[in-house]
Amino acid sequence: VQLQACGGGLVQAGGSLRLSCEASGRTFSDYAVGWFRQAPGKEREYVAAISWSGGSIDYADSVKGRFTISRDNAKNTVYLQMNSLKPEDTALYYCAAATTLGPILTGGRGGIDHWGKGTQVTVSS
């Protein structure tokens, strides 16, 4: 599976963006997918995760209530709707796929099958 994140950009605080993680190759619906982000000078941070069926969803506390993860397996795409954006949300966002949620929920330190290229999100104050 090859993953590509897109949809990033520059937005003012309080604004919204929708990121997409588009997959090609092997059957996308076999995988749980997670979103991560990394700001300059900071460690990679887990953002959100969704199971292969969409039946299990999880969020980091820092984005809970503001971000929504969803997926459309027919389109081989996972989305991250980001509302009420804050300057501290500024980061490179990228998606990752694993056969189970576990590796994603533990921060992607191991067990991730595929990492995608990122998309930059910049939130101005």
Side-chain angles (χ1 to χ4, degrees), residues 23-51:
S24 60
R26 211 187 131 172
T27 306
F28 183 57
S29 58
D30 288 345
Y31 293 93
V33 175
W35 285 96
F36 296 84
R37 65 187 183 186
Q38 188 166 19
K42 294 188 177 181
E43 292 189 353
R44 182 177 61 214
E45 178 186 13
Y46 161 75
V47 176
I50 188 167
S51 63

mmCIF file of all heavy atoms in Angstrom, residues 23-51:
data_model
loop_
_atom_site.group_PDB
_atom_site.id
_atom_site.type_symbol
_atom_site.label_atom_id
_atom_site.label_comp_id
_atom_site.label_asym_id
_atom_site.label_seq_id
_atom_site.Cartn_x
_atom_site.Cartn_y
_atom_site.Cartn_z
ATOM 1 N N ALA A 23 -4.867 5.987 -0.639
ATOM 2 C CA ALA A 23 -4.081 4.757 -0.715
ATOM 3 C C ALA A 23 -4.171 4.131 -2.092
ATOM 4 O O ALA A 23 -5.199 4.217 -2.763
ATOM 5 C CB ALA A 23 -4.567 3.763 0.322
ATOM 6 N N SER A 24 -3.101 3.500 -2.485
ATOM 7 C CA SER A 24 -3.088 2.735 -3.726
ATOM 8 C C SER A 24 -2.332 1.439 -3.476
ATOM 9 O O SER A 24 -1.555 1.332 -2.532
ATOM 10 C CB SER A 24 -2.425 3.532 -4.848
ATOM 11 O OG SER A 24 -1.099 3.846 -4.511
ATOM 12 N N GLY A 25 -2.585 0.483 -4.294
ATOM 13 C CA GLY A 25 -1.902 -0.789 -4.134
ATOM 14 C C GLY A 25 -2.808 -1.841 -3.539
ATOM 15 O O GLY A 25 -3.933 -2.033 -3.972
ATOM 16 N N ARG A 26 -2.339 -2.465 -2.482
ATOM 17 C CA ARG A 26 -3.061 -3.571 -1.868
ATOM 18 C C ARG A 26 -4.372 -3.120 -1.250
ATOM 19 O O ARG A 26 -4.608 -1.934 -1.065
ATOM 20 C CB ARG A 26 -2.175 -4.189 -0.788
ATOM 21 C CG ARG A 26 -2.385 -5.664 -0.576
ATOM 22 C CD ARG A 26 -1.606 -6.155 0.596
ATOM 23 N NE ARG A 26 -2.447 -6.933 1.479
ATOM 24 C CZ ARG A 26 -1.969 -7.613 2.508
ATOM 25 N NH1 ARG A 26 -0.693 -7.566 2.794
ATOM 26 N NH2 ARG A 26 -2.781 -8.301 3.263
ATOM 27 N N THR A 27 -5.216 -4.037 -0.907
ATOM 28 C CA THR A 27 -6.542 -3.731 -0.382
ATOM 29 C C THR A 27 -6.463 -2.843 0.849
ATOM 30 O O THR A 27 -5.984 -3.251 1.899
ATOM 31 C CB THR A 27 -7.286 -5.024 -0.033
ATOM 32 O OG1 THR A 27 -7.292 -5.869 -1.169
ATOM 33 C CG2 THR A 27 -8.724 -4.708 0.377
ATOM 34 N N PHE A 28 -6.930 -1.645 0.708
ATOM 35 C CA PHE A 28 -6.853 -0.641 1.760
ATOM 36 C C PHE A 28 -7.698 -1.018 2.960
ATOM 37 O O PHE A 28 -7.343 -0.720 4.103
ATOM 38 C CB PHE A 28 -7.292 0.699 1.171
ATOM 39 C CG PHE A 28 -7.196 1.853 2.117
ATOM 40 C CD1 PHE A 28 -5.991 2.177 2.709
ATOM 41 C CD2 PHE A 28 -8.303 2.633 2.402
ATOM 42 C CE1 PHE A 28 -5.879 3.250 3.564
ATOM 43 C CE2 PHE A 28 -8.211 3.705 3.252
ATOM 44 C CZ PHE A 28 -7.002 4.027 3.842
ATOM 45 N N SER A 29 -8.814 -1.689 2.704
ATOM 46 C CA SER A 29 -9.727 -2.004 3.793
ATOM 47 C C SER A 29 -9.164 -3.054 4.747
ATOM 48 O O SER A 29 -9.768 -3.334 5.779
ATOM 49 C CB SER A 29 -11.074 -2.476 3.232
ATOM 50 O OG SER A 29 -10.896 -3.609 2.402
ATOM 51 N N ASP A 30 -8.006 -3.632 4.437
ATOM 52 C CA ASP A 30 -7.363 -4.576 5.351
ATOM 53 C C ASP A 30 -6.689 -3.866 6.522
ATOM 54 O O ASP A 30 -6.275 -4.506 7.489
ATOM 55 C CB ASP A 30 -6.291 -5.388 4.615
ATOM 56 C CG ASP A 30 -6.872 -6.407 3.664
ATOM 57 O OD1 ASP A 30 -8.089 -6.698 3.776
ATOM 58 O OD2 ASP A 30 -6.123 -6.909 2.802
ATOM 59 N N TYR A 31 -6.542 -2.546 6.441
ATOM 60 C CA TYR A 31 -5.696 -1.830 7.372
ATOM 61 C C TYR A 31 -6.436 -0.855 8.268
ATOM 62 O O TYR A 31 -7.356 -0.164 7.836
ATOM 63 C CB TYR A 31 -4.640 -1.032 6.605
ATOM 64 C CG TYR A 31 -3.644 -1.894 5.880
ATOM 65 C CD1 TYR A 31 -3.859 -2.240 4.547
ATOM 66 C CD2 TYR A 31 -2.496 -2.363 6.518
ATOM 67 C CE1 TYR A 31 -2.948 -3.030 3.878
ATOM 68 C CE2 TYR A 31 -1.587 -3.149 5.841
ATOM 69 C CZ TYR A 31 -1.817 -3.479 4.529
ATOM 70 O OH TYR A 31 -0.904 -4.265 3.866
ATOM 71 N N ALA A 32 -5.976 -0.782 9.513
ATOM 72 C CA ALA A 32 -6.300 0.364 10.357
ATOM 73 C C ALA A 32 -5.403 1.520 9.917
ATOM 74 O O ALA A 32 -4.288 1.298 9.433
ATOM 75 C CB ALA A 32 -6.041 0.038 11.819
ATOM 76 N N VAL A 33 -5.887 2.725 10.082
ATOM 77 C CA VAL A 33 -5.135 3.904 9.634
ATOM 78 C C VAL A 33 -5.084 4.933 10.743
ATOM 79 O O VAL A 33 -6.064 5.140 11.470
ATOM 80 C CB VAL A 33 -5.776 4.516 8.373
ATOM 81 C CG1 VAL A 33 -5.064 5.811 7.977
ATOM 82 C CG2 VAL A 33 -5.730 3.519 7.222
ATOM 83 N N GLY A 34 -3.940 5.549 10.858
ATOM 84 C CA GLY A 34 -3.782 6.603 11.863
ATOM 85 C C GLY A 34 -3.200 7.860 11.257
ATOM 86 O O GLY A 34 -2.546 7.828 10.214
ATOM 87 N N TRP A 35 -3.481 8.971 11.927
ATOM 88 C CA TRP A 35 -2.867 10.248 11.580
ATOM 89 C C TRP A 35 -1.868 10.615 12.679
ATOM 90 O O TRP A 35 -2.152 10.465 13.875
ATOM 91 C CB TRP A 35 -3.909 11.352 11.462
ATOM 92 C CG TRP A 35 -4.721 11.295 10.214
ATOM 93 C CD1 TRP A 35 -5.952 10.734 10.056
ATOM 94 C CD2 TRP A 35 -4.357 11.826 8.934
ATOM 95 N NE1 TRP A 35 -6.379 10.876 8.759
ATOM 96 C CE2 TRP A 35 -5.425 11.545 8.046
ATOM 97 C CE3 TRP A 35 -3.253 12.520 8.442
ATOM 98 C CZ2 TRP A 35 -5.410 11.930 6.702
ATOM 99 C CZ3 TRP A 35 -3.235 12.893 7.111
ATOM 100 C CH2 TRP A 35 -4.303 12.601 6.258
ATOM 101 N N PHE A 36 -0.720 11.127 12.248
ATOM 102 C CA PHE A 36 0.303 11.611 13.150
ATOM 103 C C PHE A 36 0.716 13.003 12.700
ATOM 104 O O PHE A 36 0.428 13.418 11.575
ATOM 105 C CB PHE A 36 1.527 10.688 13.110
ATOM 106 C CG PHE A 36 1.249 9.299 13.611
ATOM 107 C CD1 PHE A 36 0.704 8.336 12.782
ATOM 108 C CD2 PHE A 36 1.539 8.952 14.924
ATOM 109 C CE1 PHE A 36 0.435 7.056 13.238
ATOM 110 C CE2 PHE A 36 1.291 7.669 15.395
ATOM 111 C CZ PHE A 36 0.734 6.727 14.548
ATOM 112 N N ARG A 37 1.403 13.716 13.571
ATOM 113 C CA ARG A 37 1.917 15.017 13.177
ATOM 114 C C ARG A 37 3.244 15.267 13.863
ATOM 115 O O ARG A 37 3.540 14.708 14.920
ATOM 116 C CB ARG A 37 0.923 16.127 13.506
ATOM 117 C CG ARG A 37 0.671 16.328 14.993
ATOM 118 C CD ARG A 37 -0.465 17.344 15.193
ATOM 119 N NE ARG A 37 -0.696 17.616 16.605
ATOM 120 C CZ ARG A 37 -1.706 18.367 17.056
ATOM 121 N NH1 ARG A 37 -2.577 18.911 16.189
ATOM 122 N NH2 ARG A 37 -1.855 18.565 18.349
ATOM 123 N N GLN A 38 4.032 16.119 13.237
ATOM 124 C CA GLN A 38 5.315 16.480 13.816
ATOM 125 C C GLN A 38 5.598 17.934 13.528
ATOM 126 O O GLN A 38 5.639 18.351 12.361
ATOM 127 C CB GLN A 38 6.439 15.601 13.275
ATOM 128 C CG GLN A 38 7.755 15.802 13.991
ATOM 129 C CD GLN A 38 8.749 14.696 13.686
ATOM 130 O OE1 GLN A 38 8.631 13.965 12.707
ATOM 131 N NE2 GLN A 38 9.758 14.559 14.547
ATOM 132 N N ALA A 39 5.771 18.680 14.586
ATOM 133 C CA ALA A 39 6.130 20.091 14.477
ATOM 134 C C ALA A 39 7.644 20.223 14.536
ATOM 135 O O ALA A 39 8.320 19.357 15.105
ATOM 136 C CB ALA A 39 5.478 20.881 15.598
ATOM 137 N N PRO A 40 8.194 21.301 13.983
ATOM 138 C CA PRO A 40 9.646 21.486 14.006
ATOM 139 C C PRO A 40 10.192 21.446 15.426
ATOM 140 O O PRO A 40 9.659 22.095 16.324
ATOM 141 C CB PRO A 40 9.826 22.868 13.377
ATOM 142 C CG PRO A 40 8.634 23.046 12.510
ATOM 143 C CD PRO A 40 7.513 22.368 13.236
ATOM 144 N N GLY A 41 11.219 20.642 15.623
ATOM 145 C CA GLY A 41 11.853 20.562 16.918
ATOM 146 C C GLY A 41 11.122 19.724 17.944
ATOM 147 O O GLY A 41 11.540 19.648 19.106
ATOM 148 N N LYS A 42 10.035 19.102 17.529
ATOM 149 C CA LYS A 42 9.250 18.284 18.460
ATOM 150 C C LYS A 42 9.182 16.842 17.973
ATOM 151 O O LYS A 42 9.410 16.550 16.805
ATOM 152 C CB LYS A 42 7.838 18.851 18.604
ATOM 153 C CG LYS A 42 7.799 20.222 19.256
ATOM 154 C CD LYS A 42 6.374 20.638 19.555
ATOM 155 C CE LYS A 42 6.326 21.968 20.279
ATOM 156 N NZ LYS A 42 4.929 22.366 20.590
ATOM 157 N N GLU A 43 8.842 15.955 18.897
ATOM 158 C CA GLU A 43 8.687 14.562 18.535
ATOM 159 C C GLU A 43 7.367 14.336 17.793
ATOM 160 O O GLU A 43 6.431 15.129 17.906
ATOM 161 C CB GLU A 43 8.725 13.690 19.798
ATOM 162 C CG GLU A 43 10.079 13.654 20.478
ATOM 163 C CD GLU A 43 10.129 12.619 21.576
ATOM 164 O OE1 GLU A 43 9.080 12.030 21.894
ATOM 165 O OE2 GLU A 43 11.233 12.407 22.118
ATOM 166 N N ARG A 44 7.332 13.238 17.076
ATOM 167 C CA ARG A 44 6.101 12.856 16.390
ATOM 168 C C ARG A 44 4.988 12.632 17.411
ATOM 169 O O ARG A 44 5.214 12.056 18.476
ATOM 170 C CB ARG A 44 6.326 11.584 15.593
ATOM 171 C CG ARG A 44 5.106 11.115 14.803
ATOM 172 C CD ARG A 44 5.457 9.889 13.997
ATOM 173 N NE ARG A 44 5.863 8.784 14.839
ATOM 174 C CZ ARG A 44 6.786 7.897 14.495
ATOM 175 N NH1 ARG A 44 7.413 8.009 13.338
ATOM 176 N NH2 ARG A 44 7.079 6.898 15.312
ATOM 177 N N GLU A 45 3.800 13.059 17.068
ATOM 178 C CA GLU A 45 2.660 12.987 17.975
ATOM 179 C C GLU A 45 1.507 12.247 17.305
ATOM 180 O O GLU A 45 1.152 12.521 16.159
ATOM 181 C CB GLU A 45 2.212 14.407 18.353
ATOM 182 C CG GLU A 45 1.000 14.473 19.253
ATOM 183 C CD GLU A 45 0.519 15.901 19.463
ATOM 184 O OE1 GLU A 45 0.957 16.802 18.730
ATOM 185 O OE2 GLU A 45 -0.325 16.116 20.348
ATOM 186 N N TYR A 46 0.926 11.319 18.036
ATOM 187 C CA TYR A 46 -0.259 10.627 17.561
ATOM 188 C C TYR A 46 -1.454 11.580 17.576
ATOM 189 O O TYR A 46 -1.600 12.376 18.512
ATOM 190 C CB TYR A 46 -0.532 9.425 18.465
ATOM 191 C CG TYR A 46 -1.936 8.883 18.403
ATOM 192 C CD1 TYR A 46 -2.354 8.143 17.308
ATOM 193 C CD2 TYR A 46 -2.827 9.118 19.442
ATOM 194 C CE1 TYR A 46 -3.643 7.649 17.256
ATOM 195 C CE2 TYR A 46 -4.114 8.633 19.398
ATOM 196 C CZ TYR A 46 -4.522 7.893 18.304
ATOM 197 O OH TYR A 46 -5.802 7.415 18.254
ATOM 198 N N VAL A 47 -2.301 11.501 16.537
ATOM 199 C CA VAL A 47 -3.453 12.397 16.435
ATOM 200 C C VAL A 47 -4.777 11.634 16.517
ATOM 201 O O VAL A 47 -5.640 11.947 17.340
ATOM 202 C CB VAL A 47 -3.399 13.210 15.133
ATOM 203 C CG1 VAL A 47 -4.655 14.068 14.979
ATOM 204 C CG2 VAL A 47 -2.152 14.083 15.090
ATOM 205 N N ALA A 48 -4.948 10.641 15.646
ATOM 206 C CA ALA A 48 -6.232 9.937 15.591
ATOM 207 C C ALA A 48 -6.042 8.606 14.885
ATOM 208 O O ALA A 48 -5.080 8.418 14.133
ATOM 209 C CB ALA A 48 -7.281 10.763 14.865
ATOM 210 N N ALA A 49 -6.986 7.679 15.120
ATOM 211 C CA ALA A 49 -6.909 6.367 14.499
ATOM 212 C C ALA A 49 -8.301 5.850 14.191
ATOM 213 O O ALA A 49 -9.282 6.194 14.878
ATOM 214 C CB ALA A 49 -6.189 5.384 15.420
ATOM 215 N N ILE A 50 -8.378 4.996 13.164
ATOM 216 C CA ILE A 50 -9.643 4.384 12.785
ATOM 217 C C ILE A 50 -9.377 2.946 12.364
ATOM 218 O O ILE A 50 -8.401 2.665 11.671
ATOM 219 C CB ILE A 50 -10.334 5.194 11.664
ATOM 220 C CG1 ILE A 50 -11.745 4.676 11.386
ATOM 221 C CG2 ILE A 50 -9.494 5.233 10.394
ATOM 222 C CD1 ILE A 50 -12.582 5.628 10.534
ATOM 223 N N SER A 51 -10.227 2.035 12.803
ATOM 224 C CA SER A 51 -10.064 0.633 12.454
ATOM 225 C C SER A 51 -10.422 0.389 10.989
ATOM 226 O O SER A 51 -10.961 1.277 10.305
ATOM 227 C CB SER A 51 -10.949 -0.227 13.356
ATOM 228 O OG SER A 51 -12.324 0.088 13.137
#
